[in-house]
């Protein structure tokens, strides 16, 4: 198990330049279907500010079971914290730190954020593209990493009581995409961000009654509490997240090993879907058992600070030319046996060859 270490705090001048980059990019036109709108220079300029939030506000701990594939792959994540999802930005920051801002990487995003003044161009320049099969295929054809949150609003707006569950609903498009394009799936599980607010109910029945699936492509109308709005009533607008610690694990790539024609077979697609979700749920259970997340994490051993100077971390940094990795000794030696056994069972049931 590898863990991305903390980096030194950036100079004030770099932070100021990052703010200036946001201000400049906000004046540009948003291009949600243009893969060339991704701007590596912009990402490099804002990364010091994002890194500061990553290390000191979200206290992110990102683990990799092994290096990510060199070619195109489909990263599948669970979604947390409504539309103010800090874990998504943590995934992006971790990827850029490790693999650099020039490596092509995109994320599928709902239409609405592209229309938010200034924020749309920021997200666009960071690699966000409109969520549709054609854009996904085009990104993978470029050899890019592609991040997808299949659960979308159903997963992001699930009640706080269900924060440790994978909710993808009836969405199977990502499975068909991976089969047709012949790319591996990298499951990503994350905990902590859903504690940055409180959601009593996702309000799916209310959303149906109001016709939101047709009017706003929204299947939810959540009720809960969040800063700075106080009460949330039906509109999942972005919130200011509490300073929760986010714990993320990028699992081993899964190679479905299916012929491309299997994408048109509902039975094979469903089997692959169930196997992927089983692996992700088991991984999520392990993070929950570790307890290193939320407002009051139970343990901090194995943190990036504790492991930063290890020889293995230095070798990892030299190998990739990016931020060094350090072994997560705590997770390997002290992870809950029950969760580990569940994970092994899930991988075994999956019948997926792992790189």
């Amino acid at each position: 198990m590898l863990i991305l270490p903390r980096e030194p705090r950036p100079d004030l001048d770099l932070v100021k330049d990052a703010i200036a980059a946001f201000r400049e990019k906000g004046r540009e036109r948003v291009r949600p279907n243009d893969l060339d709108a991704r701007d590596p220079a912009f990402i490099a300029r804002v990364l010091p500010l994002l890194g500061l939030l990553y290390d000191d506000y979200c206290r992110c701990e990102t683990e990799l079971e092994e290096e990510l594939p060199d070619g195109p792959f489909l990263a599948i994540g669970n979604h947390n914290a409504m539309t103010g999802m800090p874990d998504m930005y943590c995934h992006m920051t971790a990827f850029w730190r490790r693999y650099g801002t020039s490596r092509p990487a995109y994320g599928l995003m709902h239409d609405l954020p592209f229309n938010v003044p200034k924020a749309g161009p920021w997200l666009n320049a960071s690699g966000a593209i409109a969520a549709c099969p054609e854009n996904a295929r085009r990104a993978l054809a470029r050899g890019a990493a592609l991040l997808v949150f299949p659960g979308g609003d159903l997963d992001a707006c699930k009640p706080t009581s269900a924060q440790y569950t994978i909710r993808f609903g009836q969405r199977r498009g990502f499975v068909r995409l991976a089969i047709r394009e012949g790319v591996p799936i990298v499951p990503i599980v994350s905990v902590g961000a859903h504690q940055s607010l409180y959601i009593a109910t996702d309000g799916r029945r209310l959303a149906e009654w109001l016709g939101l699936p047709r009017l706003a492509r929204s299947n939810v109308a959540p009720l809960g509490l969040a800063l700075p709005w106080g009460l949330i009533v039906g509109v999942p607008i972005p919130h200011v997240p509490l300073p929760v610690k986010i714990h993320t694990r990028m699992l081993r790539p899964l190679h479905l090993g299916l012929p491309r024609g299997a994408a048109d077979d509902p039975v094979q697609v469903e089997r692959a879907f169930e196997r992927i979700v089983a692996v992700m749920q088991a991984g999520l259970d392990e993070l929950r058992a570790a307890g290193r997340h939320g407002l009051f994490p139970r343990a901090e051993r194995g943190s990036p600070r504790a492991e930063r100077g290890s020889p293995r971390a230095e070798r990892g940094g030299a190998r990739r030319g990016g931020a060094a990795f350090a072994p997560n000794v705590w997770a390997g030696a002290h992870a809950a046996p029950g969760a580990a056994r569940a994970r092994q069972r899930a991988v075994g049931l999956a019948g997926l060859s792992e790189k």
Side-chain angles (χ1 to χ4, degrees):
M1 189 74 70
L2 305 170
I3 189 167
L4 197 68
R6 178 188 177 93
E7 292 192 352
R9 287 192 178 95
D11 295 335
L12 181 59
D13 288 341
L14 291 176
V15 174
K16 289 180 178 178
D17 184 64
I19 295 172
F22 277 117
R23 187 167 54 248
E24 294 164 12
K25 185 60 68 173
R27 303 190 190 107
E28 296 185 10
R29 178 175 58 90
V30 66
R31 295 174 284 162
N33 296 301
D34 187 355
L35 272 65
D36 292 329
R38 182 180 180 275
D39 186 348
F42 167 78
I43 298 171
R45 287 181 66 188
V46 301
L47 192 53
L49 178 57
L50 295 179
L52 189 63
L53 298 173
Y54 176 97
D55 286 323
D56 292 300
Y57 192 83
C58 295
R59 295 171 287 163
C60 295
E61 182 178 345
T62 301
E63 302 168 336
L64 278 78
E65 291 192 336
E66 65 179 56
E67 294 282 5
L68 299 179
D70 290 327
F73 65 87
L74 192 61
I76 303 300
N78 66 306
H79 228 354
N80 295 295
M82 214 165 65
T83 53
M85 39 246 173
D87 55 350
M88 183 183 72
Y89 303 104
C90 292
H91 299 349
M92 294 157 57
T93 300
F95 180 89
W96 291 327
R97 278 185 168 182
R98 180 57 178 169
Y99 298 100
T101 61
S102 61
R103 179 174 176 178
Y106 297 90
L108 297 186
M109 192 174 74
H110 192 280
D111 298 343
L112 290 179
F114 285 115
N115 298 316
V116 176
K118 298 188 183 297
W122 299 343
L123 295 166
N124 205 184
S126 299
I129 50 178
C132 69
E134 179 59 26
N135 283 344
R137 288 192 292 268
R138 291 168 56 222
L140 293 173
R142 288 194 174 193
L146 180 63
L147 176 62
V148 181
F149 295 96
D153 51 1
L154 297 178
D155 209 23
C157 297
K158 58 183 174 262
T160 298
S161 60
Q163 64 182 295
Y164 299 110
T165 59
I166 303 292
R167 287 196 173 183
F168 288 170
Q170 297 302 312
R171 295 159 183 177
R172 307 292 186 269
F174 74 96
V175 181
R176 292 190 289 269
L177 175 67
I179 295 173
R180 286 196 180 105
E181 301 304 315
V183 296
I185 287 177
V186 175
I188 301 176
V189 290
S190 184
V191 293
H194 219 64
Q195 296 181 22
S196 67
L197 76 169
Y198 173 75
I199 302 177
T201 175
D202 60 12
R204 271 188 276 182
R205 291 184 179 179
L206 177 60
E208 292 176 4
W209 183 76
L210 294 173
L212 295 183
R214 176 176 53 85
L215 296 174
R217 290 185 59 196
S218 176
N219 299 282
V220 297
L223 301 176
L225 300 170
L227 295 175
W229 320 114
L231 190 63
I232 305 167
V233 184
V235 182
I237 54 178
H239 66 290
V240 176
L242 295 171
V244 293
K245 175 177 169 59
I246 295 175
H247 187 183
T248 299
R249 183 173 295 171
M250 299 183 183
L251 308 178
R252 289 184 178 86
L254 303 178
H255 300 263
L256 299 181
L258 294 171
R260 301 196 177 192
D264 298 316
D265 184 342
V267 174
Q268 294 198 65
V269 169
E270 189 64 24
R271 286 176 180 168
F273 174 84
E274 292 176 354
R275 293 165 181 170
I276 295 164
V277 171
V279 170
M280 293 183 69
Q281 186 61 61
L284 201 63
D285 292 342
E286 288 186 30
L287 297 190
R288 179 183 186 178
R292 301 200 302 276
H293 64 277
L295 278 173
F296 305 104
R298 291 201 306 264
E300 293 289 348
R301 286 180 293 177
S303 68
R305 299 177 194 182
E307 302 293 345
R308 193 190 318 169
S310 75
R312 182 174 176 181
E314 294 171 5
R315 289 196 299 270
R319 183 177 67 254
R320 287 281 178 156
F325 273 114
N328 185 354
V329 178
W330 191 94
H334 300 280
R341 284 195 296 270
R343 175 81 179 290
Q344 291 170 356
R345 286 197 298 271
V347 172
L349 288 171
L352 303 173
S353 60
E354 298 190 13
K355 183 177 177 182

